[in-house]
Amino acid sequence: MPTPQAWESFAHASDVGVRGRGETLERAFENAALALTSVVTDPARVAARESVRIECEAPDLELLLVDWLNAIVYAMSARGVLLTRFHVELDGLRLNAEAWGEPLDPARHEPAAEVKAATLSGLEVSRGDGGAWTAQCVVDV
């Protein structure tokens, strides 16, 4: 049986869902972030040239995912960058991460949408029967 894609976006009314999967919770969060980038542009078009540190904490895993994705949205907007590579470390409900990317170049990156925020809609962080994790929510575009 083929392995499911590690990340994907999916249609949701007027917004877009993002989903990350991984053998660990950290990989699922990293892949959800990659799905977030895919809403804006093809992640393969973005070079991992600059790094950004991101830290957040929340009372549960679902809210931690929303905080994580919103921290990425903020970093991309405030710094004018796109992020394409992510390394997440979790210590309970505290997330420490490093993300890599480069300044937005509209001609080369051809952004399709601007993500405004991660939402509570479609929010799920769960571990499947096979042990793999899924982290997903809908983002406002």
Side-chain angles (χ1 to χ4, degrees), residues 26 29-30 33 51-56 68 71-72 83 85-91 94-100:
E26 290 87 350
F29 272 52
E30 291 167 1
S51 70
V52 176
R53 296 283 314 156
I54 298 173
E55 297 178 1
C56 47
W68 159 238
I72 293 167
L83 300 171
R85 196 173 110 215
F86 305 90
H87 177 75
V88 170
E89 293 179 1
L90 292 171
D91 180 10
R94 181 183 300 263
L95 180 147
N96 291 296
E98 191 163 6
W100 293 266

Side-chain angles (χ1 to χ4, degrees), residues 5 7 9 33-48 76 82-86 101-102 104-106 108-113:
Q5 184 174 334
W7 60 268
S9 60
L34 197 54
L36 176 75
T37 297
S38 79
V39 172
V40 179
T41 191
D42 178 356
R45 291 180 178 212
V46 183
M76 290 196 300
L82 292 173
L83 300 171
T84 190
R85 196 173 110 215
F86 305 90
E102 67 177 335
L104 172 65
D105 177 349
R108 190 164 56 83
H109 295 129
E110 298 178 359

Side-chain angles (χ1 to χ4, degrees), residues 6 20 24 26 30 32 37-38 54 57-59 63 65 69-72 83 100 109 111 117 125-126 133 140:
T24 66
E26 290 87 350
E30 291 167 1
T37 297
S38 79
I54 298 173
E57 189 172 2
L63 292 177
L65 175 65
L69 295 177
N70 280 328
I72 293 167
L83 300 171
W100 293 266
H109 295 129
V125 176
S126 62
W133 287 88
D140 182 19

Side-chain angles (χ1 to χ4, degrees), residues 15-27:
D15 294 320
V16 179
V18 295
R19 179 179 298 129
R21 296 185 184 91
E23 291 303 312
T24 66
L25 183 55
E26 290 87 350
R27 296 309 79 76

